[in-house]
Amino acid sequence: MKRAEGRSTCPTNFTVETFGDSWSLLIMRDLLTLGKHTFGEFLRSEERIGPSVLADRLARLERSGIIVRTPSETDARKVTYSATERGIAAIPLLYEAARWGMGGVPIEEDDPWEAVMAMDRQDVLDAWQQAVREGGSLLGGAESAFARLSARARAVV
């Protein structure tokens, strides 16, 4: 028998149940940081999530109010996923997880995370949240939060 979602009303428990498995947090990383929005894009992540696990985690994140699923305007067979305001509110969690994780993995010299972490935390979080609200992400594309922050920093110099 499947248990009802949510073991308790504890906020820490809600966070753990929402992001406590590696796949859910990695899906949110891909969505918020890299700008992935489709099932196929998530499926091509280097961690190699299986299609059934991906479908399950996307459905769980949607039920939790973290992401929203929208039918594609151009292809009736496809859907896109985007963050809700609740999902956008998880950006500081991803930022701190990345900051903490940087101490445990080798970082390549040109890794954009190193440059992001050298920037003002609040500037990064504000720009990241704004970019996601506009359909972008932290690192993906010319209109990414990172590109905007980098351009602003170059303009100041």
Side-chain angles (χ1 to χ4, degrees):
M1 176 182 349
K2 190 174 182 178
R3 86 173 161 81
E5 294 206 29
R7 293 181 188 169
S8 73
T9 58
C10 171
T12 303
N13 180 66
F14 177 80
T15 303
V16 169
E17 288 199 352
T18 302
F19 299 116
D21 69 279
S22 60
W23 296 120
S24 294
L25 198 54
L26 291 173
I27 290 166
M28 292 306 293
R29 175 211 58 194
D30 286 356
L31 177 68
L32 299 170
T33 304
L34 304 175
K36 295 181 180 187
H37 293 281
T38 66
F39 191 90
E41 289 172 332
F42 294 124
L43 203 57
R44 288 188 293 277
S45 294
E46 73 178 89
E47 291 84 9
R48 300 171 39 126
I49 187 171
S52 61
V53 173
L54 175 58
D56 176 72
R57 294 319 185 277
L58 288 168
R60 185 185 316 167
L61 289 167
E62 185 179 12
R63 282 192 311 273
S64 296
I66 308 300
I67 63 172
V68 63
R69 179 181 195 260
T70 307
S72 170
E73 295 177 8
T74 59
D75 187 342
R77 298 168 295 166
K78 291 186 177 182
V79 298
T80 59
Y81 297 92
S82 55
T84 62
E85 279 301 313
R86 187 78 176 138
I88 292 169
I91 285 174
L93 175 68
L94 283 172
Y95 176 90
E96 294 301 335
R99 176 179 288 289
W100 185 85
M102 286 182 72
V105 296
I107 302 296
E108 295 179 20
E109 191 171 311
D110 61 346
D111 189 319
W113 273 111
E114 188 170 11
V116 166
M117 293 302 167
M119 296 174 177
D120 179 78
R121 178 186 186 276
Q122 196 58 54
D123 287 348
V124 170
L125 296 178
D126 291 345
W128 190 355
Q129 289 172 333
Q130 179 184 350
V132 171
R133 284 188 183 101
E134 295 171 358
S137 66
L138 175 63
L139 300 174
E143 292 299 313
S144 70
F146 178 66
R148 291 178 188 178
L149 289 166
S150 296
R152 189 182 326 158
R154 283 191 302 275
V156 171
V157 174

